Amino acid sequence: MGFTTASQTIGPYWHIIEDKALADLTRFGAEGERIVLTGRVLDGDGAPCSDACIEIWQTDPPQSDTFPGWGRANTDATGAFRLTTLKPGPVAGRGNTQQAPHIAVCILSRGLMHHLVTRAYFQHEPLNETDPLLVSIEDPAQRATLIAVPEATGVWRLDIRLQGDNETVFLDV
Amino acid sequence: MNSDFRPYAAGTQPPLDVPDYRGTAKRHPLRARHPMPQTITETTGPRFSERHFPVMADMTKSTNGQAALGERIVVAGRILDEDGRPVPHTMVEIWQAGASGRYDHPADQHDAPADPNFHGDGRVFTDADGNYSFLTIRPGAYPWPNHRNAWRPTHIHFSFFGPAFATRLITQMYFPGDPLLPFDPIFNSTPDVAARNRLIANFDLAITQPDFALGYRFDVVLRGRGATPMEG
């Protein structure tokens, strides 16, 4: 039996392996409700994190030849990331529970010794009221850090605040 | 039903707040992470195919076949889970500085010669037994602005996915005998000394290729599933 290898920061030079195409999960022709998930990554001073790597994973629609379910995007000089994907539907939870539509978000950057994990839910989704994770976050302001808001038709915004005022709820998974 | 992935063992992962690594000061969350039971979102993960992610196991040649400068090395190892089971057919991404200690990246302003024949990216997949191997150039050490006379030890960046979203791992491999290791706040941030030292590759004569390249072994462990499934 061994122990999981220690994490180290992704550093500022991970773009050496970057492929911009990975930010579009619809690139293989998957059909469904196309959405853009965008937002800014901000540090404890509210300054943009311009060298972060944002990865997403969703189990709905299921991974297939036309839908990878996984994507990766950089943040730009304003800290903004932008991913194109398909809007997920509800997903089975533990036991007999149901989870509201959500996308898992992984944040990697210089200054983060270990990746952070959060989720993007969708505002006004009725299932949000009974989603086991959302319900477990008692403070409405903290809960709101996981809920993307519509910015334009098909465009959803989820800002990620790494530290301080309105800090994003990061998950211990 | 699949059981949960086990929590990380105490001390084996670096904290998010590392005062000696200045970059963490404004980027580490102040609140503890919110506990949540793993769901299908965490216990499943992306599958990557070589069709969409072509293997790049020789990093020593440019796209037009020109040889990069520096000392050729083979890096090989095995990816296992915490129970010693191989992690088969999983994607491994690699990136690094060249022999002079400079990244082929616009943000790297270190005054060391760039090598037009070395971009520094690689990608391999483990075989059915969890083994991986690639050929590269031994990277150089380089200065960084963390503190006066700060130098990163020679290292190679690795990205692992494993079977689930919960097994994602990004780390750095270091080289044995590097005199910079005791001074590096990133390397030293992992509290458990044995866990820290497992990031140092071992020189391996069995991986070394005669008249061609020195060999280093870097074995990796990804999170394993708990022995007892939690209530579903």
Side-chain angles (χ1 to χ4, degrees):
Chain A
M1 154 131 182
F3 296 112
T4 303
T5 300
S7 171
Q8 300 275 271
T9 180
I10 196 171
Y13 302 125
W14 67 271
H15 310 87
I16 284 175
I17 59 163
E18 187 181 14
D19 177 356
K20 299 271 189 199
L22 300 181
D24 183 358
L25 286 72
T26 65
R27 67 190 181 281
F28 302 123
E31 291 182 12
E33 183 185 343
R34 229 173 127 123
I35 60 165
V36 168
L37 180 64
T38 186
R40 293 175 74 204
V41 182
L42 303 170
D43 73 9
D45 288 333
C49 295
S50 58
D51 51 12
C53 171
I54 303 297
E55 294 180 349
I56 60 171
W57 164 243
Q58 59 193 85
T59 52
D60 188 83
Q63 188 173 13
S64 69
D65 285 346
T66 58
F67 187 67
W70 178 89
R72 174 189 281 161
N74 69 304
T75 55
D76 65 15
T78 68
F81 62 90
R82 186 181 179 88
L83 291 134
T84 303
T85 186
L86 297 181
K87 188 146 186 281
V91 178
R94 295 171 73 96
N96 293 319
T97 65
Q98 194 170 39
Q99 302 187 79
H102 65 274
I103 294 174
V105 180
C106 175
I107 302 109
L108 303 130
S109 94
R110 173 183 66 81
L112 281 180
M113 286 302 305
H114 196 284
H115 61 271
L116 299 175
V117 169
T118 189
R119 281 184 175 189
Y121 286 88
F122 299 89
Q123 195 179 37
H124 305 313
E125 196 72 53
L127 280 172
N128 287 350
E129 306 305 319
T130 54
D131 178 86
L133 171 60
L134 288 177
V135 167
S136 76
I137 302 171
E138 289 175 10
D139 179 343
Q142 289 187 20
R143 198 184 312 134
T145 67
L146 271 61
I147 301 178
V149 295
E151 189 174 70
T153 306
V155 179
W156 294 84
R157 164 170 294 275
L158 184 77
D159 290 329
I160 295 165
R161 293 178 177 82
L162 298 180
Q163 186 188 83
D165 291 344
N166 218 4
E167 181 175 299
T168 293
V169 171
F170 296 106
L171 304 171
D172 187 6
V173 291
Chain B
M1 156 170 183
N2 288 328
S3 60
D4 286 1
F5 287 90
R6 287 199 286 270
Y8 299 103
T12 62
Q13 297 294 319
L16 290 165
D17 180 11
V18 183
D20 288 343
Y21 172 21
R22 275 179 20 201
T24 67
K26 294 293 178 182
R27 294 188 171 192
H28 73 274
L30 302 177
R31 270 204 316 269
R33 290 176 301 171
H34 183 80
M36 71 168 285
Q38 292 167 15
T39 74
I40 191 171
T41 303
E42 290 75 34
T43 58
T44 62
R47 296 285 177 271
F48 299 96
S49 82
E50 297 182 22
R51 187 160 60 92
H52 294 307
F53 295 88
V55 169
M56 300 184 288
D58 181 358
M59 298 162 63
T60 69
K61 299 259 176 39
S62 69
T63 46
N64 59 8
Q66 300 293 303
L69 289 172
E71 178 191 341
R72 281 186 302 261
I73 58 170
V74 174
V75 179
R78 203 165 177 218
I79 305 180
L80 302 174
D81 72 13
E82 289 172 291
D83 297 306
R85 288 182 291 242
V87 181
H89 312 300
T90 191
M91 186 167 78
V92 181
E93 298 172 295
I94 305 133
W95 71 102
Q96 62 167 91
S100 74
R102 183 164 177 166
Y103 287 87
D104 184 19
H105 188 289
D108 189 355
Q109 298 297 309
H110 177 36
D111 180 23
D115 182 349
N117 296 320
F118 189 76
H119 179 52
D121 66 326
R123 185 191 300 123
V124 293
F125 289 79
T126 57
D127 65 15
D129 294 318
N131 297 297
Y132 74 90
S133 173
F134 60 93
L135 177 67
T136 186
I137 296 290
R138 186 184 169 107
Y142 58 84
W144 63 308
N146 188 68
H147 56 276
R148 197 185 87 80
N149 213 8
W151 292 78
R152 288 306 322 283
T154 299
H155 62 277
I156 296 176
H157 295 266
F158 279 81
S159 151
F160 303 98
F161 289 88
F165 183 73
T167 56
R168 186 83 175 98
L169 171 67
I170 295 260
T171 193
Q172 301 179 29
M173 179 200 104
Y174 299 93
F175 286 82
D178 191 325
L180 292 168
L181 285 171
F183 307 106
D184 182 51
I186 294 178
F187 170 72
N188 287 290
S189 64
T190 303
D192 184 271
V193 175
R196 187 189 308 166
N197 288 335
R198 282 194 291 272
L199 296 180
I200 305 173
N202 289 308
F203 171 70
D204 192 332
L205 203 57
I207 296 171
T208 297
Q209 296 185 12
D211 303 320
F212 184 64
L214 296 185
Y216 290 89
R217 168 166 287 275
F218 183 51
D219 293 325
V220 171
V221 177
L222 302 181
R223 288 172 79 183
R225 293 181 187 272
T228 313
M230 307 267 293
E231 184 271 322

